Amino acid sequence: MLEKLKALEEEARAAVDAAADLEELKGLKVRYLGKKGELTALLRGLGSVPAEERPLIGKEANDLRQKLEQMIDRKESRLKDAGKSGQWEKERIDVTLPGLPTVLGQRHPLTLVLDEIKDIFYGLGFQVAHGPDIETDFYNFEALNIPADHPARDMQDSFYINPGLLLRTHTSPVQIRAMEKRAPQLPVRVIAPGKVYRRDDDATHSPMFHQVEGLAIDKNITFADLKGTLLLFAREMFGSGQKIRLRPSFFPFTEPSAEVDISCIMCGGDGCRTCSDTGWLEILGSGMVHPRVLEVAGYNPKEVTGYAFGMGVERIAMLKYGIGDLRLFFSNDLRFLKQFS
Amino acid sequence: MRVPYSWLLEFINPGLSPEELADRFTMSGVEVGAVEPFGQSMPGVVVGRVVSMEAHPGRSNLVLVKIDSGSEIFDIVCGARNMKPGDLVPLAKPGSELPGGRRIETATIYGALSRGMICSAHELGLELGAEDEILILNGNMALGTEVDRALGFDDMILHLEITPNRADCLSLLGVAYETAALTGAEVKMPPLDLIESGGAIDEALSISVTAPDLCSRYTARVVTGVKIGPSPLWMQLRLLKAGIRPISNIVDITNYVMWEFGQPQHAFDLGLVKNSRVIVRRGENKETLVTLDGVERKLDREVLVIADPEKPVGLAGVMGGENTEITSATEEVLIEAAVFDSPNTRRTARRYNLPSEASQRFEKGVNPEAVLWSQDRAAKLMSELAGGTILKGVIDIKSAHPEPARIKVDPRRVNRILGLEIPAPEIESIMDRLAFTVEKSDDQCLNVTVPARRADIQIEEDIVEEVARLHGYDKIPITLPEGALLENRESASDQVQRLTRDVITAAGFYECITYSFINPAGLDSLRLPDEDWRRHPIPVQNPFSEEQAVMRTTLLPGMLKTVRHNLSYRELDQALFEVGAVFKPLRLPLEELPDEQVKLAMAVTGQAPAPNWLTPSRDADFFTIKGALETLLNRFQVAGVEYEPRTLPFSHPTRSAVILADGEELGYICQVHPEVAAAWEIDQAVTVAEIDLQMIVSKASLVPRYVPLPRYPAANRDIAIVVTRDIPAEKLKKAIIEAGGEITGEVGLFDLYEGKQIPEGKRSLAFSITFRREEGTLTETEINAAMQKIEAALSALGAEMRR
């Protein structure tokens, strides 16, 4: 019985494949699947099969019925489509034409990096604070322990508006403003992104650039906390394999102070042209907030401590995107801006 | 500060290679920018002795010289004749190469064979002596020794990049103390013993200081009977390694001692000081002084001068005067070593643009302990190297005597700040390596006395840094701050700025960042009238150029400049924006901080974004920007927005609008007047907008508000009308909404046509109107009634219905 079913399937498949038009196909459907068709006829002989084999044979027969139906339906669609071939041809598209452009501009690469820095520090529980671009000498220098005639003022040649007002040379004044606003409450945890200005204009200096300042003040902030925070930042920004290195340095508003290097993102620390073969890249300045700064801003340096850091956004963007020329950022050349889409 | 390693070895032996020491310095806070040899190697250039000199038979300006290299005699033709038989000279043998790549070969010069060359200092790369004089290498040198080694060209120079607080490292002695702190090696002082064989100094010189506020200490020694000449070669070489040009024995000695102790000194020709009387005083108005560089300087009360009873003889701490300069005729030398006020020296050096090694050291502060050491050292060297006699005694006038800092240090606090657990004895040992004196106090604290050379150490935190840097920053553990959480969500204004960038970039615009300072001429070309505040920007006092002379009052110049820049690179289709502050002075000249207003500016030119092969291209225009702005204002749910036609000073007369929200001006959109655009060298239509983002913050609702969904279906009707061009579409839309009554929902313009079949001066507009009622389905009759009222209202405005 099973062999007969098999033979019927083979015969029907050959016939359906060979069918030339819908008419013929219709005849085949009646011939194999109709009430008086061959499958029905075959099943009539089921009585002669032993009782225990009947369920198996019944199932096989049903499967065959379904197979044949599908076979005939598919052939029917193919024959129908073939009948409309002229129309399909008219509707043919050239799939190699470009897709319709999605209208999309892009943020400036510096905004991309600023957004990323902000995201990282939001996640670490920092607030974002802002201060004015035109600052008083007090906030920009005096309050940060840089009195008039201090040699450290040479480090930052400034654009002045008048003797008491200038374009801020760093985002550090926002430290003072943020502390003044909050003192004597604890903790303070802010970052301050913004534009800063220095009287420098050459291949590696722009008279305007961007910084992000960071500040944390609490009862027990330590130098080790600063190191931990910056390591976390470096890994979030440049990848989880990052290492950092702190070197003693000098800033009037921190004591102790540290320059912070990250392992070179080009060579991973082996030494290359970007890192002048040192394996390290300097990316920010940092330290423990100087007691005089805490005092000016309304905190008692015997009771609270804090750390502060400041980084150049252009420097980070150049490293991250492999940009070699600082001046590109402010040329706003579309050929440049479009690369960050 | 250049530190020649061999010279440093006279002060301390660190037991490290120059490179290892440099690394230790960098990691402990004195950055070493480079370590490099003093000179290039010159194989084949050796020490030779002049055996004989004879005239060249054919040329009177040349001599035939025989040079003994120790193993061979070389015949050489030479133009110089400053050597004599017996002198040691640098002999460049045939096949050798001099710095700069010059190869020396055997040659025949006017018939005489010349095997090699004898060299001047300049030919060896040294800025020493005259260019046409042979360098005489007198001293203890074996014949045949390579000259580069004999002159110490292989000596390593450490280039220290010193932060402003570490003035102590502007001297070899200070660098030696720092080396001692890092290695534990011992510091050796240079010899200071001297023989005072002359008469008493008081009889030869008198000094008064009338400006003690600017000169807290003035000391002098006198050396008589000096013979001026070049200093010995070893001293000249050391100065060259330090980066100082040798001048004469007396001047070289003052510089040499400055390098050793960090104390600038000046040598005056005492014979030219009137009445041997020195007065340290403020300058007088109308007084002048010709400084050593030959420039006449105008003086006044702001400047400290060294003077004699008749005239100024030096700018204190900055540069001496020509009138008392050491010359070959000088016999009596007055050596000055003083402590001048830091800020005043800094101002004077800046004012006359005369930064020098000396002024730099006074600005950062000199070591008061070293003043007399340098006097003794310089006098000793002058008597030894210039044959002088030292007069007895030192004149020392001081008005202040700085006390060494005494700091109470709590080791627990040191550890608390650093997040470390360093035991107190280790802290004491670090102090010891620094040569700071420590006494224990009874409350577990340490009383630390800091030597005068470390004036940067004043408070406990300074000691904390010393401990940390000498313990090693790399040994500080890694932890994160603990403490209470803060509300740290983005502020409303930051959110508005972020969402603005989201929406405007999604509309196809690229963000720019331009300078906050602009050229004021840009404001002129915008034709802003005098009464417009934007015409009166805040000037920068010391700009680089007119291009950056004033703080911007509008973002428009930056936008136009960017458009022009990109057009010049054939980027014809542009959609740009910037978010940034403009600066509004409350009054000028500026007395208080200005109002910094954050604005959004946009600019489009060329084809609208994004041109493609399928949809017909259209020019970017007013409606390109308006569409993006409408999306933005909708995102912020700003209510009551209207666009009022208004001609602006810089706008196309009839393509310009101000944007109002509940009657308040948010900003403008306009096509730039072609002549204004031409002034920016833009020759195609450009449309711009500028809106006040702070005002948006005050009007925005950032959280979407839910409105219940309509429960009954809406009905739509279209209406097409022909009306005169002067009636704004918005007016027609308002008429429809008003006439249609409360069942009238959204009204949208879906077609606008002017041209064929429409009379001149008129246009056809088609609106789609949605009717809806909250409770119940609308009937045909109700809708027809509303439509009739709408038609009537439109007719009243002169509209004809098109059917």
Side-chain angles (χ1 to χ4, degrees):
Chain A
M1 193 72 175
L2 280 173
E3 291 83 58
K4 283 184 184 162
L5 284 172
K6 196 82 199 156
L8 182 66
E9 182 181 346
E10 290 307 312
E11 179 198 323
R13 186 187 302 280
V16 168
D17 280 351
D21 54 36
L22 286 169
E23 200 59 31
E24 190 184 341
L25 190 68
K26 207 172 164 188
L28 288 175
K29 193 171 182 175
V30 173
R31 176 169 151 205
Y32 290 110
L33 298 173
K35 273 186 187 145
K36 292 172 187 169
E38 293 192 20
L39 184 61
T40 318
L42 198 70
L43 287 175
R44 261 186 221 122
L46 205 59
S48 62
V49 173
E52 66 275 19
E53 286 179 24
R54 274 182 216 157
L56 177 68
I57 302 293
K59 186 180 174 300
E60 287 293 317
N62 255 330
D63 286 355
L64 178 59
R65 174 176 294 277
Q66 268 174 31
K67 256 190 232 167
L68 293 178
E69 276 169 358
Q70 277 171 19
M71 204 185 290
I72 290 165
D73 283 355
R74 275 202 296 273
K75 178 75 182 181
E76 186 179 342
S77 318
R78 277 203 298 277
L79 287 172
K80 277 183 180 165
D81 278 359
K84 293 191 287 188
S85 65
Q87 186 188 337
W88 296 133
E89 228 10 85
K90 259 188 253 162
E91 291 176 14
R92 180 181 292 280
I93 58 168
D94 176 359
V95 297
T96 67
L97 283 172
L100 285 187
T102 304
V103 173
L104 199 60
Q106 188 50 268
R107 281 166 157 79
H108 193 281
L110 292 174
T111 306
L112 293 175
V113 169
L114 275 164
D115 284 353
E116 223 176 314
I117 296 171
K118 281 191 264 182
D119 273 356
I120 292 168
F121 284 101
Y122 274 131
L124 290 174
F126 282 66
Q127 297 169 321
V128 172
H130 299 282
D133 287 16
I134 295 184
E135 256 302 359
T136 64
D137 186 87
F138 174 79
Y139 282 108
N140 196 75
F141 290 128
E142 295 280 345
L144 290 161
N145 200 25
I146 316 173
D149 288 314
H150 191 288
R153 289 204 185 197
D154 285 347
M155 294 159 84
Q156 304 178 356
D157 214 343
S158 323
F159 286 113
Y160 276 90
I161 301 295
N162 63 39
L165 294 175
L166 72 160
L167 296 179
R168 64 176 176 191
T169 55
H170 46 187
T171 42
S172 307
V174 190
Q175 279 186 27
I176 309 292
R177 291 180 176 275
M179 281 191 275
E180 276 182 349
K181 216 164 149 184
R182 181 126 170 103
Q185 283 163 278
L186 292 171
V188 180
R189 274 196 296 273
V190 293
I191 58 160
K195 294 186 168 90
V196 300
Y197 307 83
R198 290 188 199 169
R199 237 177 145 273
D200 257 334
D201 197 356
D202 56 42
T204 55
H205 295 91
S206 164
M208 181 185 92
F209 57 103
H210 294 77
Q211 278 189 343
V212 177
E213 191 80 4
L215 175 75
I217 307 287
D218 209 341
K219 278 219 149 36
N220 274 314
I221 300 274
T222 67
F223 200 49
D225 292 339
L226 170 65
K227 208 170 163 181
T229 306
L230 294 176
L231 179 64
L232 204 68
F233 167 75
R235 293 192 165 168
E236 296 266 21
M237 196 73 202
F238 295 107
S240 55
Q242 269 302 324
K243 287 193 283 261
I244 61 167
R245 176 176 90 164
L246 271 63
R247 281 181 290 113
S249 186
F250 169 74
F251 306 105
F253 38 96
T254 50
E255 190 74 36
S257 304
E259 295 276 7
V260 181
D261 301 335
I262 57 165
S263 38
C264 178
I265 57 164
M266 299 296 165
C267 63
D270 297 337
C272 67
R273 232 180 43 176
T274 305
C275 60
S276 320
D277 285 319
T278 63
W280 297 97
L281 296 168
E282 186 179 320
I283 59 156
L284 55 83
S286 66
M288 299 301 288
V289 180
H290 196 287
R292 272 198 281 270
V293 173
L294 287 171
E295 220 157 33
V296 167
Y299 287 99
N300 181 350
K302 291 285 162 214
E303 286 167 12
V304 308
T305 52
Y307 66 63
F309 56 84
M311 63 185 100
V313 181
E314 282 77 2
R315 167 101 175 131
I316 292 176
M318 288 170 84
L319 291 174
K320 201 167 166 89
Y321 300 126
I323 298 166
D325 184 357
L326 173 74
R327 285 171 293 199
L328 279 170
F329 289 117
F330 306 106
S331 71
N332 296 301
D333 194 308
L334 274 164
R335 296 167 304 168
F336 171 70
L337 297 176
K338 284 180 177 173
Q339 293 185 23
F340 301 92
S341 296
Chain B
M1 169 84 185
R2 290 164 61 108
V3 175
Y5 193 69
S6 63
W7 196 353
L8 180 65
L9 287 178
E10 292 202 347
F11 290 79
I12 191 163
N13 184 358
L16 298 171
S17 73
E19 290 80 7
E20 286 166 340
L21 183 65
D23 207 46
R24 296 274 273 273
F25 267 65
T26 294
M27 290 315 293
S28 62
V30 179
E31 194 173 344
V32 181
V35 182
E36 53 186 24
F38 168 53
Q40 292 177 28
S41 77
M42 299 177 296
V45 184
V46 301
V47 178
R49 185 198 289 115
V50 180
V51 177
S52 64
M53 292 168 65
E54 281 172 39
H56 188 286
R59 288 272 154 177
S60 60
N61 59 338
L62 296 177
V63 283
L64 302 178
V65 189
K66 282 192 191 301
I67 304 282
D68 180 1
S69 75
S71 54
E72 204 182 338
I73 303 290
F74 288 79
D75 289 304
I76 285 165
V77 178
C78 181
R81 36 180 91 231
N82 63 308
M83 61 288 190
K84 56 184 190 306
D87 277 347
L88 299 185
V89 292
L91 162 67
K93 296 193 283 189
S96 61
E97 193 175 306
L98 296 180
R102 182 172 171 196
R103 282 192 73 82
I104 305 303
E105 303 292 355
T106 299
T108 307
I109 300 170
Y110 296 108
L113 191 72
S114 185
R115 289 178 60 218
M117 188 174 108
I118 34 183
C119 310
S120 72
H122 288 260
E123 283 161 336
L124 301 179
L126 298 173
E127 299 262 333
L128 213 60
E131 287 195 33
D132 54 0
E133 274 183 9
I134 297 304
L135 175 64
I136 309 297
L137 298 172
N138 287 340
N140 200 6
M141 295 179 192
L143 292 190
T145 315
E146 299 280 344
V147 163
D148 49 14
R149 226 159 33 96
L151 295 181
F153 277 25
D154 52 350
D155 192 8
M156 297 304 274
I157 314 294
L158 276 61
H159 295 256
L160 268 48
E161 289 165 11
I162 292 162
T163 51
N165 59 326
R166 292 303 301 273
D168 60 302
C169 285
L170 290 172
S171 68
L172 292 171
L173 183 65
V175 172
Y177 273 110
E178 180 70 11
T179 308
L182 294 172
T183 61
E186 206 173 316
V187 176
K188 289 169 281 185
M189 278 287 273
L192 297 175
D193 57 305
L194 74 171
I195 300 158
E196 300 178 314
S197 51
I201 190 169
D202 296 336
E203 283 156 27
L205 174 69
S206 71
I207 295 179
S208 61
V209 177
T210 66
D213 54 328
L214 301 182
C215 174
S216 58
R217 189 169 185 189
Y218 195 92
T219 71
R221 270 196 178 275
V222 172
V223 181
T224 59
V226 296
K227 194 169 174 327
I228 308 298
S231 54
L233 184 59
W234 62 265
M235 180 175 274
Q236 293 183 334
L237 285 169
R238 281 200 167 163
L239 289 176
L240 286 173
K241 288 176 185 177
I244 297 172
R245 196 164 53 91
I247 294 168
S248 68
N249 48 5
I250 298 300
V251 175
D252 290 358
I253 286 167
T254 60
N255 285 327
Y256 187 85
V257 174
M258 172 171 74
W259 225 250
E260 290 190 321
F261 293 119
Q263 170 67 48
Q265 289 181 301
H266 186 69
F268 295 93
D269 184 335
L270 185 55
L272 299 173
V273 175
K274 180 87 178 172
N275 298 343
S276 297
R277 175 158 175 69
V278 168
I279 305 138
V280 183
R281 60 166 171 86
R282 283 172 182 273
E284 295 293 343
N285 295 333
K286 293 180 187 165
E287 224 171 19
T288 59
L289 170 69
V290 178
T291 42
L292 285 175
D293 54 3
V295 180
E296 186 182 80
R297 312 282 172 177
K298 287 197 172 67
L299 309 177
D300 58 31
R301 302 283 300 159
E302 296 301 308
V303 181
L304 186 69
V305 297
I306 314 301
D308 68 13
E310 256 174 12
K311 61 190 182 292
V313 296
L315 267 181
V318 176
M319 195 179 259
E322 223 175 46
N323 52 15
T324 49
E325 187 179 0
I326 302 292
T327 65
S328 53
T330 301
E331 285 174 5
E332 289 183 331
V333 176
L334 185 172
I335 315 171
E336 165 200 286
V339 179
F340 297 117
D341 177 62
S342 305
N344 184 263
T345 311
R346 178 174 182 268
R347 279 195 295 268
T348 304
R350 290 211 139 198
R351 167 174 165 183
Y352 297 113
N353 196 20
L354 281 176
S356 63
E357 292 287 350
S359 70
Q360 197 201 127
R361 283 170 173 75
F362 285 121
E363 284 173 33
K364 292 177 178 162
V366 293
N367 177 5
E369 272 176 349
V371 176
L372 292 182
W373 294 343
S374 23
Q375 280 291 13
D376 290 354
R377 180 82 173 137
K380 174 185 165 70
L381 289 169
M382 285 183 199
S383 82
E384 289 173 4
L385 305 177
T389 304
I390 305 168
L391 298 197
K392 202 167 296 241
V394 186
I395 295 180
D396 186 354
I397 299 171
K398 53 185 165 184
S399 52
H401 192 68
E403 289 290 318
R406 286 172 60 85
I407 301 165
K408 188 169 178 180
V409 178
D410 182 346
R412 288 158 297 186
R413 187 151 186 272
V414 171
N415 282 319
R416 210 162 57 235
I417 291 174
L418 296 178
L420 273 174
E421 301 284 340
I422 309 178
E426 199 183 325
I427 295 178
E428 280 178 62
S429 120
I430 289 171
M431 296 295 104
D432 199 45
R433 273 154 57 198
L434 284 162
F436 294 4
T437 327
V438 179
E439 284 164 51
K440 281 193 192 129
S441 77
D442 37 14
D443 54 355
Q444 295 181 34
C445 291
L446 307 172
N447 286 316
V448 177
T449 307
V450 181
R453 69 191 150 75
R454 289 301 303 275
D456 58 312
I457 308 289
Q458 288 169 356
I459 57 173
E460 192 180 9
E461 282 75 6
D462 295 325
I463 298 287
V464 173
E465 179 169 271
E466 293 302 298
V467 172
R469 73 184 186 89
L470 292 172
H471 179 71
Y473 275 17
D474 55 331
K475 297 200 190 82
I476 307 272
I478 288 167
T479 59
L480 284 172
E482 293 172 357
L485 295 177
L486 291 166
E487 291 171 31
N488 76 328
R489 271 215 64 187
E490 197 177 34
S491 69
S493 61
D494 281 3
Q495 267 190 72
V496 164
Q497 286 186 31
R498 179 171 52 82
L499 292 169
T500 297
R501 288 189 172 98
D502 284 349
V503 171
I504 303 301
T505 55
F509 289 72
Y510 285 87
E511 187 181 15
C512 305
I513 298 179
T514 67
Y515 286 154
S516 304
F517 20 56
I518 57 170
N519 188 334
L523 298 172
D524 298 343
S525 70
L526 293 181
R527 306 166 163 187
L528 296 169
D530 198 51
E531 61 270 21
D532 192 319
W533 75 266
R534 292 172 294 182
R535 185 62 183 262
H536 305 285
I538 302 162
V540 176
Q541 207 179 47
N542 54 339
F544 268 127
S545 68
E546 196 63 10
E547 274 302 296
Q548 304 171 358
V550 300
M551 300 308 289
R552 62 188 179 188
T553 52
T554 152
L555 303 185
L556 196 46
M559 283 282 100
L560 293 176
K561 205 173 154 181
T562 306
V563 168
R564 176 183 53 196
H565 170 86
N566 281 301
L567 284 176
S568 73
Y569 287 97
R570 302 302 297 159
E571 290 279 339
L572 301 181
D573 308 328
Q574 302 178 32
L576 307 169
F577 78 102
E578 178 168 13
V579 174
V582 302
F583 300 81
K584 182 177 184 179
L586 303 180
R587 71 180 67 79
L588 281 174
L590 203 64
E591 285 168 13
E592 59 212 298
L593 294 186
D595 187 11
E596 298 188 8
Q597 304 176 339
V598 179
K599 302 268 186 182
L600 161 69
M602 302 166 74
V604 289
T605 191
Q607 288 184 64
N612 62 77
W613 55 273
L614 185 67
T615 32
S617 70
R618 61 176 298 278
D619 284 343
D621 60 11
F622 185 94
F623 300 104
T624 312
I625 288 190
K626 186 176 177 186
L629 276 182
E630 281 172 336
T631 311
L632 184 72
L633 296 175
N634 285 339
R635 172 63 186 82
F636 294 133
Q637 303 177 66
V638 177
V641 177
E642 285 178 290
Y643 296 81
E644 185 186 294
R646 192 188 296 171
T647 306
L648 302 172
F650 44 83
S651 76
H652 183 294
T654 55
R655 292 183 172 179
S656 175
V658 293
I659 309 165
L660 304 168
D662 285 336
E664 270 186 272
E665 233 177 277
L666 287 182
Y668 62 83
I669 314 178
C670 69
Q671 185 177 325
V672 176
H673 193 291
E675 282 173 25
V676 173
W680 292 85
E681 293 161 31
I682 296 170
D683 56 1
Q684 60 185 48
V686 52
T687 302
V688 296
E690 189 169 17
I691 71 167
D692 189 323
L693 283 187
Q694 258 137 304
M695 214 181 275
I696 299 238
V697 175
S698 67
K699 293 182 179 299
S701 30
L702 295 166
V703 183
R705 179 126 193 103
Y706 164 76
V707 179
L709 305 180
R711 289 161 65 195
Y712 297 92
N716 284 302
R717 291 286 189 280
D718 292 346
I719 186 167
I721 58 174
V722 174
V723 69
T724 50
R725 278 190 69 187
D726 59 352
I727 300 185
E730 189 66 19
K731 191 171 179 181
L732 297 166
K733 180 176 161 179
K734 278 187 180 157
I736 293 171
I737 291 170
E738 201 175 313
E742 61 173 351
I743 61 168
T744 315
E746 302 86 57
V747 175
L749 178 75
F750 69 90
D751 187 47
L752 175 72
Y753 178 75
E754 283 173 57
K756 274 186 206 154
Q757 297 157 0
I758 304 292
E760 183 71 24
K762 295 199 171 187
R763 58 183 181 169
S764 155
L765 300 97
F767 293 95
S768 161
I769 309 166
T770 304
F771 296 102
R772 183 186 288 118
R773 195 160 56 205
E774 279 182 30
E775 296 300 326
T777 312
L778 288 168
T779 63
E780 198 63 24
T781 328
E782 282 174 296
I783 295 169
N784 288 342
M787 283 301 285
Q788 272 174 15
K789 283 184 196 158
I790 288 169
E791 285 180 17
L794 292 174
S795 301
L797 291 171
E800 289 166 47
M801 306 302 132
R802 296 181 81 201
R803 308 212 190 253

